[in-house]
Amino acid sequence: EVQLLESGGGLVQPGGSLRLPCAGSRFTSGNYAVHWVRQAPGKGLEWVSAIGSSGGGTFYADSVKGRFTISRDTSKNTLYLQMNSLRADDTAVYYCATKMLLTSYVALDNWGQGILVTVSS
Amino acid sequence: DIQMTQSPSSVSASVGDRVTITCRASQYVGDRLVWYQQRPMKAPNLLIYGASSLQNGVPSRFSGSGSGTDFTLTISSLQPEDFATYYCQQAATFPPLTFGGGTKVEIK
């Protein structure tokens, strides 16, 4: 079973930047499409971004397009979400999750524990 | 974007009860519908994919049905560990992935 662990969260001022790593054990990141999903305090799930398996593309929600960048370092089995120009409404727990290998469509079968990002002055 | 609407937003039930949650898509999604369970302060957990296929390790009291635009998640006999929030997600059109607003199953 793939295990994922997010880090890099914390308190940042509006307009600031953070980079969230998502590291995996038993996880060769190039084999998996990986998604970021966030959850604002007391709210539901919101898809943020995704990166395809090796050779695949990158995808973003309209709410983060142009501000967030997803990337991977296969040598470190780590995914990254670079978040720039942060706003108060980016405050959320951020989860990384892998797309199920069994299906052609996106079902997220392995999730990290989540990391809290708070954007506030 | 495809909008996903869940009902009810919350339900109060007792251990042993049968609970049914519905999810409606604003456009046709076929059978590309996924259900997750999220316990408090925990990450979501995949329950059902393909509208009705049970993920490995998920108890058989959980079942999913439906196709097209209307879907149902049923818990046949509610257990204490099932008190959680449940989300549907469409996978027919990407990007974006879209989730329903969630249904909280609470103890009566």
mmCIF file of all heavy atoms in Angstrom, chain B residues 3-53:
data_model
loop_
_atom_site.group_PDB
_atom_site.id
_atom_site.type_symbol
_atom_site.label_atom_id
_atom_site.label_comp_id
_atom_site.label_asym_id
_atom_site.label_seq_id
_atom_site.Cartn_x
_atom_site.Cartn_y
_atom_site.Cartn_z
ATOM 1 N N GLN B 3 -21.788 19.842 -11.755
ATOM 2 C CA GLN B 3 -22.116 20.100 -10.352
ATOM 3 C C GLN B 3 -22.698 18.835 -9.738
ATOM 4 O O GLN B 3 -23.523 18.150 -10.358
ATOM 5 C CB GLN B 3 -23.123 21.243 -10.238
ATOM 6 C CG GLN B 3 -22.717 22.500 -10.994
ATOM 7 C CD GLN B 3 -21.383 23.052 -10.563
ATOM 8 O OE1 GLN B 3 -21.081 23.118 -9.372
ATOM 9 N NE2 GLN B 3 -20.556 23.456 -11.533
ATOM 10 N N MET B 4 -22.264 18.546 -8.510
ATOM 11 C CA MET B 4 -22.734 17.376 -7.792
ATOM 12 C C MET B 4 -23.531 17.829 -6.567
ATOM 13 O O MET B 4 -23.035 18.632 -5.767
ATOM 14 C CB MET B 4 -21.553 16.506 -7.352
ATOM 15 C CG MET B 4 -20.603 16.133 -8.486
ATOM 16 S SD MET B 4 -21.411 15.205 -9.793
ATOM 17 C CE MET B 4 -21.809 13.676 -8.950
ATOM 18 N N THR B 5 -24.742 17.323 -6.433
ATOM 19 C CA THR B 5 -25.620 17.716 -5.338
ATOM 20 C C THR B 5 -25.979 16.498 -4.502
ATOM 21 O O THR B 5 -26.527 15.531 -5.035
ATOM 22 C CB THR B 5 -26.899 18.369 -5.875
ATOM 23 O OG1 THR B 5 -26.551 19.483 -6.706
ATOM 24 C CG2 THR B 5 -27.775 18.842 -4.725
ATOM 25 N N GLN B 6 -25.654 16.540 -3.238
ATOM 26 C CA GLN B 6 -25.963 15.445 -2.316
ATOM 27 C C GLN B 6 -27.145 15.813 -1.438
ATOM 28 O O GLN B 6 -27.328 16.971 -1.069
ATOM 29 C CB GLN B 6 -24.768 15.140 -1.410
ATOM 30 C CG GLN B 6 -23.635 14.434 -2.086
ATOM 31 C CD GLN B 6 -22.510 14.092 -1.127
ATOM 32 O OE1 GLN B 6 -21.362 14.473 -1.367
ATOM 33 N NE2 GLN B 6 -22.822 13.380 -0.052
ATOM 34 N N SER B 7 -27.912 14.800 -1.095
ATOM 35 C CA SER B 7 -28.977 14.990 -0.114
ATOM 36 C C SER B 7 -29.156 13.710 0.698
ATOM 37 O O SER B 7 -28.923 12.608 0.182
ATOM 38 C CB SER B 7 -30.285 15.381 -0.806
ATOM 39 O OG SER B 7 -30.708 14.350 -1.683
ATOM 40 N N PRO B 8 -29.521 13.855 1.992
ATOM 41 C CA PRO B 8 -29.595 15.121 2.699
ATOM 42 C C PRO B 8 -28.202 15.635 3.030
ATOM 43 O O PRO B 8 -27.208 14.945 2.808
ATOM 44 C CB PRO B 8 -30.360 14.744 3.967
ATOM 45 C CG PRO B 8 -29.931 13.328 4.216
ATOM 46 C CD PRO B 8 -29.774 12.704 2.857
ATOM 47 N N SER B 9 -28.112 16.837 3.582
ATOM 48 C CA SER B 9 -26.817 17.344 4.016
ATOM 49 C C SER B 9 -26.404 16.713 5.341
ATOM 50 O O SER B 9 -25.200 16.644 5.646
ATOM 51 C CB SER B 9 -26.853 18.867 4.145
ATOM 52 O OG SER B 9 -27.871 19.259 5.035
ATOM 53 N N SER B 10 -27.379 16.273 6.109
ATOM 54 C CA SER B 10 -27.085 15.529 7.325
ATOM 55 C C SER B 10 -28.240 14.594 7.621
ATOM 56 O O SER B 10 -29.386 14.851 7.199
ATOM 57 C CB SER B 10 -26.834 16.462 8.512
ATOM 58 O OG SER B 10 -28.002 17.157 8.854
ATOM 59 N N VAL B 11 -27.931 13.526 8.322
ATOM 60 C CA VAL B 11 -28.944 12.551 8.706
ATOM 61 C C VAL B 11 -28.598 12.021 10.088
ATOM 62 O O VAL B 11 -27.423 11.747 10.373
ATOM 63 C CB VAL B 11 -29.058 11.416 7.664
ATOM 64 C CG1 VAL B 11 -27.728 10.716 7.455
ATOM 65 C CG2 VAL B 11 -30.135 10.420 8.058
ATOM 66 N N SER B 12 -29.599 11.918 10.933
ATOM 67 C CA SER B 12 -29.428 11.330 12.263
ATOM 68 C C SER B 12 -29.975 9.912 12.242
ATOM 69 O O SER B 12 -31.108 9.693 11.787
ATOM 70 C CB SER B 12 -30.168 12.151 13.324
ATOM 71 O OG SER B 12 -29.596 13.423 13.459
ATOM 72 N N ALA B 13 -29.171 8.980 12.706
ATOM 73 C CA ALA B 13 -29.576 7.578 12.653
ATOM 74 C C ALA B 13 -29.000 6.829 13.839
ATOM 75 O O ALA B 13 -28.059 7.306 14.505
ATOM 76 C CB ALA B 13 -29.114 6.946 11.343
ATOM 77 N N SER B 14 -29.543 5.663 14.076
ATOM 78 C CA SER B 14 -29.101 4.813 15.187
ATOM 79 C C SER B 14 -28.331 3.616 14.650
ATOM 80 O O SER B 14 -28.477 3.237 13.476
ATOM 81 C CB SER B 14 -30.306 4.327 15.981
ATOM 82 O OG SER B 14 -31.038 5.416 16.504
ATOM 83 N N VAL B 15 -27.521 3.034 15.521
ATOM 84 C CA VAL B 15 -26.809 1.809 15.156
ATOM 85 C C VAL B 15 -27.832 0.757 14.726
ATOM 86 O O VAL B 15 -28.856 0.566 15.384
ATOM 87 C CB VAL B 15 -25.965 1.309 16.336
ATOM 88 C CG1 VAL B 15 -25.378 -0.071 16.036
ATOM 89 C CG2 VAL B 15 -24.842 2.297 16.645
ATOM 90 N N GLY B 16 -27.553 0.128 13.599
ATOM 91 C CA GLY B 16 -28.455 -0.870 13.048
ATOM 92 C C GLY B 16 -29.403 -0.349 11.984
ATOM 93 O O GLY B 16 -30.023 -1.130 11.260
ATOM 94 N N ASP B 17 -29.527 0.980 11.888
ATOM 95 C CA ASP B 17 -30.420 1.565 10.893
ATOM 96 C C ASP B 17 -29.873 1.407 9.485
ATOM 97 O O ASP B 17 -28.661 1.283 9.271
ATOM 98 C CB ASP B 17 -30.621 3.063 11.151
ATOM 99 C CG ASP B 17 -31.556 3.359 12.298
ATOM 100 O OD1 ASP B 17 -32.154 2.406 12.848
ATOM 101 O OD2 ASP B 17 -31.680 4.546 12.655
ATOM 102 N N ARG B 18 -30.765 1.448 8.525
ATOM 103 C CA ARG B 18 -30.413 1.516 7.111
ATOM 104 C C ARG B 18 -30.383 2.991 6.725
ATOM 105 O O ARG B 18 -31.333 3.725 7.010
ATOM 106 C CB ARG B 18 -31.445 0.774 6.275
ATOM 107 C CG ARG B 18 -31.164 0.739 4.778
ATOM 108 C CD ARG B 18 -32.291 0.004 4.064
ATOM 109 N NE ARG B 18 -32.081 -0.154 2.633
ATOM 110 C CZ ARG B 18 -31.459 -1.186 2.094
ATOM 111 N NH1 ARG B 18 -30.980 -2.153 2.851
ATOM 112 N NH2 ARG B 18 -31.317 -1.268 0.774
ATOM 113 N N VAL B 19 -29.295 3.401 6.095
ATOM 114 C CA VAL B 19 -29.130 4.800 5.725
ATOM 115 C C VAL B 19 -28.893 4.890 4.218
ATOM 116 O O VAL B 19 -28.099 4.128 3.657
ATOM 117 C CB VAL B 19 -27.933 5.435 6.472
ATOM 118 C CG1 VAL B 19 -27.642 6.844 5.946
ATOM 119 C CG2 VAL B 19 -28.217 5.486 7.975
ATOM 120 N N THR B 20 -29.586 5.829 3.584
ATOM 121 C CA THR B 20 -29.440 6.038 2.155
ATOM 122 C C THR B 20 -29.098 7.496 1.883
ATOM 123 O O THR B 20 -29.758 8.405 2.400
ATOM 124 C CB THR B 20 -30.732 5.664 1.405
ATOM 125 O OG1 THR B 20 -31.006 4.275 1.627
ATOM 126 C CG2 THR B 20 -30.570 5.900 -0.094
ATOM 127 N N ILE B 21 -28.067 7.695 1.078
ATOM 128 C CA ILE B 21 -27.597 9.031 0.681
ATOM 129 C C ILE B 21 -27.692 9.112 -0.837
ATOM 130 O O ILE B 21 -27.319 8.167 -1.537
ATOM 131 C CB ILE B 21 -26.146 9.254 1.139
ATOM 132 C CG1 ILE B 21 -26.044 9.184 2.671
ATOM 133 C CG2 ILE B 21 -25.611 10.579 0.619
ATOM 134 C CD1 ILE B 21 -24.622 9.073 3.192
ATOM 135 N N THR B 22 -28.184 10.226 -1.337
ATOM 136 C CA THR B 22 -28.287 10.378 -2.777
ATOM 137 C C THR B 22 -27.340 11.453 -3.296
ATOM 138 O O THR B 22 -26.976 12.392 -2.574
ATOM 139 C CB THR B 22 -29.725 10.697 -3.205
ATOM 140 O OG1 THR B 22 -30.101 11.964 -2.648
ATOM 141 C CG2 THR B 22 -30.686 9.647 -2.705
ATOM 142 N N CYS B 23 -26.969 11.287 -4.552
ATOM 143 C CA CYS B 23 -26.051 12.206 -5.225
ATOM 144 C C CYS B 23 -26.569 12.394 -6.647
ATOM 145 O O CYS B 23 -26.850 11.403 -7.341
ATOM 146 C CB CYS B 23 -24.640 11.608 -5.229
ATOM 147 S SG CYS B 23 -23.399 12.571 -6.125
ATOM 148 N N ARG B 24 -26.712 13.630 -7.053
ATOM 149 C CA ARG B 24 -27.209 13.926 -8.392
ATOM 150 C C ARG B 24 -26.202 14.780 -9.141
ATOM 151 O O ARG B 24 -25.700 15.782 -8.604
ATOM 152 C CB ARG B 24 -28.556 14.648 -8.320
ATOM 153 C CG ARG B 24 -29.088 15.119 -9.673
ATOM 154 C CD ARG B 24 -30.550 15.480 -9.594
ATOM 155 N NE ARG B 24 -31.393 14.293 -9.470
ATOM 156 C CZ ARG B 24 -32.708 14.333 -9.309
ATOM 157 N NH1 ARG B 24 -33.336 15.501 -9.227
ATOM 158 N NH2 ARG B 24 -33.398 13.207 -9.202
ATOM 159 N N ALA B 25 -25.912 14.383 -10.364
ATOM 160 C CA ALA B 25 -24.989 15.135 -11.212
ATOM 161 C C ALA B 25 -25.767 16.060 -12.141
ATOM 162 O O ALA B 25 -26.858 15.709 -12.597
ATOM 163 C CB ALA B 25 -24.138 14.173 -12.040
ATOM 164 N N SER B 26 -25.200 17.206 -12.435
ATOM 165 C CA SER B 26 -25.876 18.177 -13.300
ATOM 166 C C SER B 26 -25.828 17.774 -14.771
ATOM 167 O O SER B 26 -26.577 18.323 -15.582
ATOM 168 C CB SER B 26 -25.242 19.568 -13.124
ATOM 169 O OG SER B 26 -23.877 19.551 -13.516
ATOM 170 N N GLN B 27 -24.952 16.808 -15.087
ATOM 171 C CA GLN B 27 -24.856 16.273 -16.446
ATOM 172 C C GLN B 27 -24.622 14.777 -16.340
ATOM 173 O O GLN B 27 -24.238 14.266 -15.291
ATOM 174 C CB GLN B 27 -23.682 16.902 -17.209
ATOM 175 C CG GLN B 27 -23.711 18.399 -17.363
ATOM 176 C CD GLN B 27 -22.427 18.901 -17.994
ATOM 177 O OE1 GLN B 27 -21.853 18.271 -18.900
ATOM 178 N NE2 GLN B 27 -21.940 20.054 -17.540
ATOM 179 N N TYR B 28 -24.798 14.108 -17.453
ATOM 180 C CA TYR B 28 -24.591 12.660 -17.514
ATOM 181 C C TYR B 28 -23.147 12.313 -17.159
ATOM 182 O O TYR B 28 -22.209 12.886 -17.711
ATOM 183 C CB TYR B 28 -24.915 12.188 -18.929
ATOM 184 C CG TYR B 28 -24.709 10.722 -19.169
ATOM 185 C CD1 TYR B 28 -25.698 9.799 -18.845
ATOM 186 C CD2 TYR B 28 -23.515 10.249 -19.724
ATOM 187 C CE1 TYR B 28 -25.519 8.449 -19.075
ATOM 188 C CE2 TYR B 28 -23.321 8.911 -19.959
ATOM 189 C CZ TYR B 28 -24.328 8.014 -19.632
ATOM 190 O OH TYR B 28 -24.142 6.674 -19.859
ATOM 191 N N VAL B 29 -22.949 11.370 -16.223
ATOM 192 C CA VAL B 29 -21.609 10.906 -15.871
ATOM 193 C C VAL B 29 -21.449 9.398 -16.058
ATOM 194 O O VAL B 29 -20.413 8.830 -15.707
ATOM 195 C CB VAL B 29 -21.214 11.302 -14.423
ATOM 196 C CG1 VAL B 29 -21.224 12.824 -14.264
ATOM 197 C CG2 VAL B 29 -22.089 10.622 -13.392
ATOM 198 N N GLY B 30 -22.481 8.733 -16.581
ATOM 199 C CA GLY B 30 -22.403 7.292 -16.766
ATOM 200 C C GLY B 30 -22.295 6.595 -15.420
ATOM 201 O O GLY B 30 -23.095 6.836 -14.516
ATOM 202 N N ASP B 31 -21.267 5.738 -15.302
ATOM 203 C CA ASP B 31 -21.027 5.077 -14.012
ATOM 204 C C ASP B 31 -19.763 5.607 -13.346
ATOM 205 O O ASP B 31 -19.219 4.979 -12.437
ATOM 206 C CB ASP B 31 -20.941 3.566 -14.177
ATOM 207 C CG ASP B 31 -19.724 3.133 -14.984
ATOM 208 O OD1 ASP B 31 -19.045 4.007 -15.573
ATOM 209 O OD2 ASP B 31 -19.449 1.918 -15.040
ATOM 210 N N ARG B 32 -19.299 6.756 -13.796
ATOM 211 C CA ARG B 32 -18.041 7.316 -13.279
ATOM 212 C C ARG B 32 -18.315 8.158 -12.029
ATOM 213 O O ARG B 32 -18.128 9.383 -12.027
ATOM 214 C CB ARG B 32 -17.304 8.069 -14.359
ATOM 215 C CG ARG B 32 -16.943 7.126 -15.503
ATOM 216 C CD ARG B 32 -15.893 7.628 -16.432
ATOM 217 N NE ARG B 32 -15.451 6.560 -17.322
ATOM 218 C CZ ARG B 32 -14.436 6.645 -18.148
ATOM 219 N NH1 ARG B 32 -13.727 7.769 -18.225
ATOM 220 N NH2 ARG B 32 -14.090 5.634 -18.916
ATOM 221 N N LEU B 33 -18.725 7.441 -10.996
ATOM 222 C CA LEU B 33 -19.126 8.073 -9.748
ATOM 223 C C LEU B 33 -18.413 7.352 -8.611
ATOM 224 O O LEU B 33 -18.374 6.112 -8.564
ATOM 225 C CB LEU B 33 -20.650 7.994 -9.594
ATOM 226 C CG LEU B 33 -21.366 8.817 -8.523
ATOM 227 C CD1 LEU B 33 -21.186 8.240 -7.125
ATOM 228 C CD2 LEU B 33 -20.942 10.276 -8.548
ATOM 229 N N VAL B 34 -17.833 8.124 -7.726
ATOM 230 C CA VAL B 34 -17.002 7.612 -6.633
ATOM 231 C C VAL B 34 -17.570 8.124 -5.311
ATOM 232 O O VAL B 34 -18.053 9.265 -5.236
ATOM 233 C CB VAL B 34 -15.544 8.087 -6.808
ATOM 234 C CG1 VAL B 34 -14.661 7.528 -5.705
ATOM 235 C CG2 VAL B 34 -15.003 7.689 -8.175
ATOM 236 N N TRP B 35 -17.518 7.276 -4.290
ATOM 237 C CA TRP B 35 -17.931 7.662 -2.939
ATOM 238 C C TRP B 35 -16.751 7.558 -1.982
ATOM 239 O O TRP B 35 -15.970 6.607 -2.038
ATOM 240 C CB TRP B 35 -19.037 6.739 -2.433
ATOM 241 C CG TRP B 35 -20.361 6.897 -3.100
ATOM 242 C CD1 TRP B 35 -20.882 6.135 -4.106
ATOM 243 C CD2 TRP B 35 -21.373 7.861 -2.782
ATOM 244 N NE1 TRP B 35 -22.142 6.570 -4.429
ATOM 245 C CE2 TRP B 35 -22.466 7.628 -3.635
ATOM 246 C CE3 TRP B 35 -21.469 8.902 -1.853
ATOM 247 C CZ2 TRP B 35 -23.634 8.391 -3.584
ATOM 248 C CZ3 TRP B 35 -22.616 9.666 -1.807
ATOM 249 C CH2 TRP B 35 -23.687 9.415 -2.667
ATOM 250 N N TYR B 36 -16.650 8.534 -1.083
ATOM 251 C CA TYR B 36 -15.637 8.559 -0.034
ATOM 252 C C TYR B 36 -16.310 8.703 1.325
ATOM 253 O O TYR B 36 -17.361 9.342 1.444
ATOM 254 C CB TYR B 36 -14.676 9.731 -0.212
ATOM 255 C CG TYR B 36 -13.931 9.755 -1.525
ATOM 256 C CD1 TYR B 36 -14.434 10.459 -2.616
ATOM 257 C CD2 TYR B 36 -12.721 9.075 -1.677
ATOM 258 C CE1 TYR B 36 -13.761 10.482 -3.814
ATOM 259 C CE2 TYR B 36 -12.035 9.102 -2.884
ATOM 260 C CZ TYR B 36 -12.565 9.811 -3.955
ATOM 261 O OH TYR B 36 -11.886 9.844 -5.158
ATOM 262 N N GLN B 37 -15.634 8.174 2.320
ATOM 263 C CA GLN B 37 -16.013 8.378 3.726
ATOM 264 C C GLN B 37 -14.919 9.207 4.381
ATOM 265 O O GLN B 37 -13.731 8.950 4.155
ATOM 266 C CB GLN B 37 -16.116 7.027 4.438
ATOM 267 C CG GLN B 37 -16.397 7.115 5.934
ATOM 268 C CD GLN B 37 -16.151 5.775 6.628
ATOM 269 O OE1 GLN B 37 -15.034 5.283 6.688
ATOM 270 N NE2 GLN B 37 -17.218 5.182 7.146
ATOM 271 N N GLN B 38 -15.303 10.185 5.166
ATOM 272 C CA GLN B 38 -14.328 10.968 5.924
ATOM 273 C C GLN B 38 -14.748 11.024 7.387
ATOM 274 O O GLN B 38 -15.759 11.649 7.726
ATOM 275 C CB GLN B 38 -14.171 12.378 5.371
ATOM 276 C CG GLN B 38 -13.031 13.155 6.041
ATOM 277 C CD GLN B 38 -12.842 14.552 5.490
ATOM 278 O OE1 GLN B 38 -13.784 15.203 5.044
ATOM 279 N NE2 GLN B 38 -11.599 15.018 5.480
ATOM 280 N N ARG B 39 -13.970 10.371 8.219
ATOM 281 C CA ARG B 39 -14.180 10.467 9.667
ATOM 282 C C ARG B 39 -13.589 11.773 10.165
ATOM 283 O O ARG B 39 -12.704 12.345 9.513
ATOM 284 C CB ARG B 39 -13.567 9.266 10.374
ATOM 285 C CG ARG B 39 -14.216 7.934 9.974
ATOM 286 C CD ARG B 39 -13.726 6.810 10.869
ATOM 287 N NE ARG B 39 -14.420 5.559 10.566
ATOM 288 C CZ ARG B 39 -13.845 4.543 9.929
ATOM 289 N NH1 ARG B 39 -12.580 4.618 9.533
ATOM 290 N NH2 ARG B 39 -14.533 3.435 9.685
ATOM 291 N N PRO B 40 -14.054 12.263 11.317
ATOM 292 C CA PRO B 40 -13.574 13.547 11.820
ATOM 293 C C PRO B 40 -12.057 13.593 11.950
ATOM 294 O O PRO B 40 -11.443 12.663 12.476
ATOM 295 C CB PRO B 40 -14.253 13.656 13.191
ATOM 296 C CG PRO B 40 -15.495 12.841 13.044
ATOM 297 C CD PRO B 40 -15.128 11.694 12.158
ATOM 298 N N MET B 41 -11.495 14.669 11.438
ATOM 299 C CA MET B 41 -10.059 14.941 11.533
ATOM 300 C C MET B 41 -9.205 13.913 10.791
ATOM 301 O O MET B 41 -8.010 13.776 11.068
ATOM 302 C CB MET B 41 -9.622 15.023 12.998
ATOM 303 C CG MET B 41 -10.423 15.998 13.837
ATOM 304 S SD MET B 41 -10.417 17.646 13.142
ATOM 305 C CE MET B 41 -8.702 18.068 13.350
ATOM 306 N N LYS B 42 -9.792 13.188 9.875
ATOM 307 C CA LYS B 42 -9.071 12.199 9.101
ATOM 308 C C LYS B 42 -9.171 12.508 7.614
ATOM 309 O O LYS B 42 -10.032 13.279 7.180
ATOM 310 C CB LYS B 42 -9.638 10.795 9.359
ATOM 311 C CG LYS B 42 -9.482 10.321 10.788
ATOM 312 C CD LYS B 42 -8.031 10.104 11.147
ATOM 313 C CE LYS B 42 -7.904 9.491 12.537
ATOM 314 N NZ LYS B 42 -6.477 9.323 12.923
ATOM 315 N N ALA B 43 -8.294 11.895 6.836
ATOM 316 C CA ALA B 43 -8.367 12.026 5.392
ATOM 317 C C ALA B 43 -9.547 11.220 4.851
ATOM 318 O O ALA B 43 -9.992 10.254 5.474
ATOM 319 C CB ALA B 43 -7.072 11.529 4.759
ATOM 320 N N PRO B 44 -10.060 11.602 3.698
ATOM 321 C CA PRO B 44 -11.094 10.777 3.059
ATOM 322 C C PRO B 44 -10.565 9.385 2.746
ATOM 323 O O PRO B 44 -9.360 9.175 2.581
ATOM 324 C CB PRO B 44 -11.400 11.554 1.777
ATOM 325 C CG PRO B 44 -11.005 12.957 2.070
ATOM 326 C CD PRO B 44 -9.805 12.845 2.965
ATOM 327 N N ASN B 45 -11.529 8.463 2.646
ATOM 328 C CA ASN B 45 -11.210 7.066 2.378
ATOM 329 C C ASN B 45 -12.126 6.584 1.259
ATOM 330 O O ASN B 45 -13.351 6.749 1.349
ATOM 331 C CB ASN B 45 -11.433 6.239 3.655
ATOM 332 C CG ASN B 45 -11.100 4.783 3.456
ATOM 333 O OD1 ASN B 45 -10.040 4.439 2.949
ATOM 334 N ND2 ASN B 45 -12.015 3.915 3.852
ATOM 335 N N LEU B 46 -11.541 5.989 0.226
ATOM 336 C CA LEU B 46 -12.326 5.524 -0.916
ATOM 337 C C LEU B 46 -13.211 4.347 -0.516
ATOM 338 O O LEU B 46 -12.721 3.344 0.032
ATOM 339 C CB LEU B 46 -11.380 5.103 -2.042
ATOM 340 C CG LEU B 46 -12.008 4.478 -3.282
ATOM 341 C CD1 LEU B 46 -12.928 5.458 -3.994
ATOM 342 C CD2 LEU B 46 -10.922 3.991 -4.242
ATOM 343 N N LEU B 47 -14.503 4.471 -0.775
ATOM 344 C CA LEU B 47 -15.443 3.397 -0.474
ATOM 345 C C LEU B 47 -15.856 2.638 -1.733
ATOM 346 O O LEU B 47 -15.817 1.409 -1.768
ATOM 347 C CB LEU B 47 -16.720 3.974 0.150
ATOM 348 C CG LEU B 47 -16.681 4.555 1.551
ATOM 349 C CD1 LEU B 47 -18.071 5.077 1.913
ATOM 350 C CD2 LEU B 47 -16.212 3.528 2.565
ATOM 351 N N ILE B 48 -16.307 3.381 -2.720
ATOM 352 C CA ILE B 48 -16.924 2.800 -3.904
ATOM 353 C C ILE B 48 -16.457 3.566 -5.132
ATOM 354 O O ILE B 48 -16.378 4.799 -5.112
ATOM 355 C CB ILE B 48 -18.461 2.855 -3.789
ATOM 356 C CG1 ILE B 48 -18.943 1.832 -2.752
ATOM 357 C CG2 ILE B 48 -19.143 2.603 -5.137
ATOM 358 C CD1 ILE B 48 -20.409 1.940 -2.394
ATOM 359 N N TYR B 49 -16.152 2.821 -6.201
ATOM 360 C CA TYR B 49 -15.816 3.434 -7.478
ATOM 361 C C TYR B 49 -16.679 2.794 -8.560
ATOM 362 O O TYR B 49 -17.269 1.733 -8.343
ATOM 363 C CB TYR B 49 -14.322 3.265 -7.784
ATOM 364 C CG TYR B 49 -13.862 1.824 -7.858
ATOM 365 C CD1 TYR B 49 -13.788 1.152 -9.076
ATOM 366 C CD2 TYR B 49 -13.524 1.126 -6.705
ATOM 367 C CE1 TYR B 49 -13.391 -0.161 -9.149
ATOM 368 C CE2 TYR B 49 -13.123 -0.199 -6.762
ATOM 369 C CZ TYR B 49 -13.048 -0.834 -7.982
ATOM 370 O OH TYR B 49 -12.646 -2.148 -8.039
ATOM 371 N N GLY B 50 -16.754 3.452 -9.690
ATOM 372 C CA GLY B 50 -17.602 2.918 -10.753
ATOM 373 C C GLY B 50 -19.055 2.792 -10.333
ATOM 374 O O GLY B 50 -19.767 1.899 -10.795
ATOM 375 N N ALA B 51 -19.487 3.647 -9.465
ATOM 376 C CA ALA B 51 -20.861 3.736 -8.944
ATOM 377 C C ALA B 51 -21.247 2.609 -8.013
ATOM 378 O O ALA B 51 -22.051 2.826 -7.090
ATOM 379 C CB ALA B 51 -21.898 3.836 -10.068
ATOM 380 N N SER B 52 -20.684 1.393 -8.218
ATOM 381 C CA SER B 52 -21.160 0.255 -7.433
ATOM 382 C C SER B 52 -20.078 -0.735 -7.038
ATOM 383 O O SER B 52 -20.386 -1.731 -6.363
ATOM 384 C CB SER B 52 -22.245 -0.497 -8.214
ATOM 385 O OG SER B 52 -21.728 -0.978 -9.434
ATOM 386 N N SER B 53 -18.832 -0.506 -7.404
ATOM 387 C CA SER B 53 -17.754 -1.442 -7.074
ATOM 388 C C SER B 53 -17.144 -1.084 -5.725
ATOM 389 O O SER B 53 -16.665 0.034 -5.528
ATOM 390 C CB SER B 53 -16.675 -1.419 -8.150
ATOM 391 O OG SER B 53 -17.187 -1.871 -9.382
#
